[in-house]
Amino acid sequence: MNDNNSPKFAVVGHPNKGKSSIVSTLSHNDSIQISSRSGTTEQADHFTVNTIKGSYDLIDTPGFQRPLRVLNWLEQHCNSASERAATVAKFVADSECKTQFKDEVALLEPVIDGAAILYVVDGSRPYGSEYEAEMEILRWTGQPSMALINPIENNDYIGEWESALAQYFKSVRVFNPMKADFEKHIELLQTFTHLNPKWAHVLGSIIDDLQNERATQQTTSVSILMHLIEDLCQYQNCQKVLSESQAKLIKPALEKQYKAWMKQREEKAIKELLTTYAHYQTKVSLDQFDLPPDLFDCDKWFAWGLDKKQLIYAGTAAGAVSGAALDVAVAGSSLMAGAIGGGLIGAGSAWFSADKLVDIKIKGLPLGGYQACVGPIKNRNFPYVVIGRFIHLFKQISQLNHANRQALDFNASDFQDKVETLEKIEQKELHAACARLIKQKPVDSLSEVLTPLFND
Amino acid sequence: MQSEFPSINKEQAINLSKPIMFIGFLCGLLLSLGVLNGDEAGRVNLLYLLLVYLFIPLFGAILSVLSLVQGRGLNIARLLSALPIWSQSQQVQLLKIRQQKFDKYWFFLQSQAAALAYSVASLLTFLILLLATDINFVWRSTLLNAEQLQPILGAIATPWWFWEVAQPTSELLRSTQDSRLISNYANTNSFGQWWAFVLATQIVYSFILRGALLAIGTTLISKHTKKETEKKAPRTQQRMEQVSENHSYASLIHSLPTEYTLCNWATFNTNILQQLTLSPKKALKAGPSVAIDTHDALDEPLLILVKAWEPPMGELQDFMQHAKGIIFPINLNNKQAVAPEEKHLKEWQRFVAQLPNWAIYVPESMDKQ
Ligand SMILES: Nc1nc2c(ncn2[C@@H]2O[C@H](COP(=O)(O)OP(=O)(O)OP(=O)(O)O)[C@@H](O)[C@H]2O)c(=O)[nH]1
Ligand SMILES: [Mg+2]
């Protein structure tokens, strides 16, 4: 069906051992059905991994159901070892076999068509001799093959499997479709290049492309955050009214709309982030995530944004004229941190208090009437809170494998540590940028300022 | 969602900013009035006029084109945007323009609009004053004489070579050179003759030039926004088919019939078998790794031992199809037979529910574990 030069891999094995999971993770496709029920995949499904310079096919297949009887059939229809591959082809073409052994026909068809074999087993359960028949059938096809041990629950039987599989497969790898990180994907693809020398070149280009794409995804994520934070810091909700008292009356409604808008805007950014990493099925609702659900829950702000000590430092750094002044400030901030409770830095209270968060502003209009406005937000920790939450999500989503369908799990943030790991100059730029953002001033170098936060 | 946070479309993008145009208009008006006002004798310096109607517009145009080509796009409009005169909604608009990355073009376009407004204002002022007052165009210079100036003005006037009256002649230059020490003029007629040259300068170097640049700016933005929308075209989303999770589950039994035939399908070793303390009437040899014999005409029910963690397969189903009995799924933990895990048991219950003559056995003792 597609030309013979394009690499193809049929993922085969026992039912319910994670074949679809492996295809899902490798093809970055989260719409492939995965279920704890065996027999989920009922026919061979082709998934093409497309990059700029090439493409390869992954074929998800149903599991073996009657390997022993199929092997019997093959043995009965084969006269010599040289005819084994042809016998399997005959099996696949045989109309009676198509009804009697539909799973085996479906899974062997792509192999006869030229696909290499990826044989999947579960490394958390013991090896059993009942697996021999299916491995033998695969050997009959004569196609290049390798085995993947998926440690579904644990690593207990990996060693046992390795020695059993070594008798049938030249190459045996451990690959966990739920947890493997990007480097592991690439490593696996690199072992694929050895399966068929004809494919080595195109697979090599695909690996390059995937690595470039990964970098692009990060750049895109940075600009998603950039737009998010600019929008959130800029937003204002205004309404025209007739009298001052009316303006005060609509304050709660305005505030509610304001918060709803901010929340939706943040959700939109998370959706964009998910789309960037090709996660289309993950539902986004901030309440559903294990996030502090409310962007305006100021008690949580020191967890998501900067802590008080860092904020003092930030305040100094953003306005600092010289490196020396900055260093004094850092030393001083640890001393000052202790004294905050006493209101030592009275003037700087806007950094900490949340009451001025979104004040209502009422002004008279030239042609009569009044305008009541809520926002833009004043609190200087706010940009950090937005950045902190987003970076936290970014880490989850950029690492999320497509086989992993569980809701994202968010633990406490370490944004503050992240900020600490930045170079001094990077920190200073971040603080300066946040100081401008909260005043609704454009920050030209925002993406350069934010990028270090996205790096590991 | 899409409508909640709309991006700027083409029509909005090429909309000309009224405040920016207003500022341009105001500048044109004030500068024109300034230079055309002249002294009490109504004398205006031609060279000042050239500064306002030729040099400023031309220099501005070159600057805005250069900055467009070169990068950031520093121009009048961008400088104006930094002033604290913009309303919140205008600032939001500016932010969106920046985010959609056409700020460079947008500022270019707005600069042309401002310059065009400047040019319209100065044209209007000029025409009105021509009608309403007597403007005496003179020129003064300490260093230049008429012969030196003529080629420069001639070059400026080449675009309207066909318009005789608007061409600067040496003769006109000589007769309109002014010195503040001389107050008697031989031929006052010639002082008005410069109007055509000045008007043509305004039209060509300010009005037409900026009009053309405005058109270019509009095309650039249209192209950019079109490219953006094409890029944004939604990626084909893979749809997830919904699997129905309505399955029937076979019920569990906790005791065995008195008479049954044992079938060790999973080939558990004797150690495990002993732990199970079973007392079958007889044993049948069958299993996935053993050739399947005839097993028809069995009177007693079968008790089939299976590995709980392995999914039920078609081979077993074929085997069970023509018989009746009980499935006994066993899990192993450190070589000890234990009750199956919940998810595995569910799998077996779904499997057995499709086979009418079969049940699943989980001993009471194991169930407790
Ligand atoms: N925790 C964990 N679960 C896994 C892993 N791989 C697969 N699973 C689970 O195992 C079950 C089966 O996964 P599938 O990918 O559907 O297996 P399959 O081989 O395609 O199954 P069939 O299509 O039914 O033959 C699902 O519930 C998966 O969530 C893994 O690495 N870790
Ligand atoms: Mg599957």
Side-chain angles (χ1 to χ4, degrees), chain A residues 1-75:
Chain A
M1 44 193 291
N2 59 4
D3 68 302
N4 277 335
N5 287 329
S6 148
K8 287 183 281 189
F9 301 92
V11 181
V12 301
H14 237 54
N16 223 26
K17 299 299 179 188
K19 301 182 295 296
S20 299
S21 304
I22 286 176
V23 172
S24 172
T25 285
L26 287 180
S27 65
H28 297 175
N29 183 332
D30 65 348
S31 70
I32 297 175
Q33 286 199 9
I34 293 173
S35 145
S36 61
R37 185 176 60 85
S38 81
T40 309
T41 310
E42 290 176 352
Q43 58 201 31
D45 295 321
H46 289 246
F47 298 95
T48 307
V49 177
N50 267 315
T51 67
I52 300 164
K53 293 203 253 0
S55 71
Y56 77 96
D57 268 16
L58 283 165
I59 302 148
D60 189 16
T61 65
F64 281 98
Q65 291 290 348
R66 296 167 178 86
L68 211 67
R69 291 178 56 196
V70 171
L71 190 58
N72 279 340
W73 190 100
L74 292 175
E75 277 162 351

Side-chain angles (χ1 to χ4, degrees), chain B residues 110-325:
Chain B
Q110 302 304 338
S111 294
Q112 309 321 315
L116 208 58
Y118 173 94
S119 143
V120 168
S122 37
L123 267 172
L124 281 178
T125 321
F126 186 61
L127 289 173
I128 289 171
L129 290 184
L130 274 183
L131 281 176
T133 68
D134 55 329
I135 305 178
N136 297 315
F137 302 93
V138 299
W139 65 278
R140 302 189 185 105
S141 175
T142 319
L143 300 176
L144 297 173
N145 60 35
E147 278 64 39
Q148 286 168 318
L149 209 55
Q150 204 280 330
I152 301 175
L153 298 188
I156 290 172
T158 34
W160 55 91
W161 78 97
F162 47 86
W163 193 9
E164 281 298 327
V165 193
Q167 296 299 324
T169 57
S170 315
E171 191 190 339
L172 183 62
L173 268 169
R174 246 178 273 116
S175 63
T176 53
Q177 182 163 23
D178 182 41
S179 161
R180 273 174 274 203
L181 296 174
I182 308 162
S183 50
N184 283 344
Y185 298 106
N187 182 7
T188 48
N189 228 359
S190 56
F191 289 111
Q193 276 174 19
W194 279 109
W195 73 267
F197 172 76
V198 175
L199 184 68
T201 307
Q202 284 194 45
I203 290 176
V204 170
Y205 292 102
S206 193
F207 191 75
I208 294 182
L209 178 68
R210 291 308 186 126
L213 289 179
L214 186 88
I216 292 174
T218 312
T219 341
L220 283 175
I221 290 189
S222 310
K223 269 207 194 128
H224 180 86
T225 43
K226 200 168 142 221
K227 228 177 10 190
E228 278 289 277
T229 36
E230 272 163 17
K231 241 197 295 180
K232 270 231 190 88
R235 285 205 247 172
T236 41
Q237 284 210 9
Q238 305 119 332
R239 282 274 309 134
M240 178 98 118
E241 316 136 45
Q242 233 38 56
V243 255
S244 78
E245 292 294 338
N246 293 330
H247 301 286
S248 40
Y249 293 89
S251 53
L252 303 179
I253 59 169
H254 300 290
S255 58
L256 290 173
T258 44
E259 298 208 327
Y260 57 87
T261 302
L262 181 68
C263 169
N264 187 1
W265 183 269
T267 58
F268 286 121
N269 60 26
T270 42
N271 175 23
I272 306 284
L273 290 181
Q274 274 164 9
Q275 290 176 39
L276 298 175
T277 58
L278 297 169
S279 45
K281 202 171 150 203
K282 58 182 176 194
L284 180 77
K285 215 163 177 252
S289 35
V290 189
I292 301 154
D293 311 319
T294 47
H295 54 271
D296 41 9
L298 280 170
D299 294 333
E300 296 96 29
L302 279 173
L303 179 70
I304 302 182
L305 306 185
V306 293
K307 295 175 180 174
W309 64 88
E310 290 292 4
M313 306 227 308
E315 237 145 35
L316 177 61
Q317 192 178 7
D318 296 347
F319 178 75
M320 290 161 72
Q321 210 85 58
H322 307 290
K324 60 175 192 284

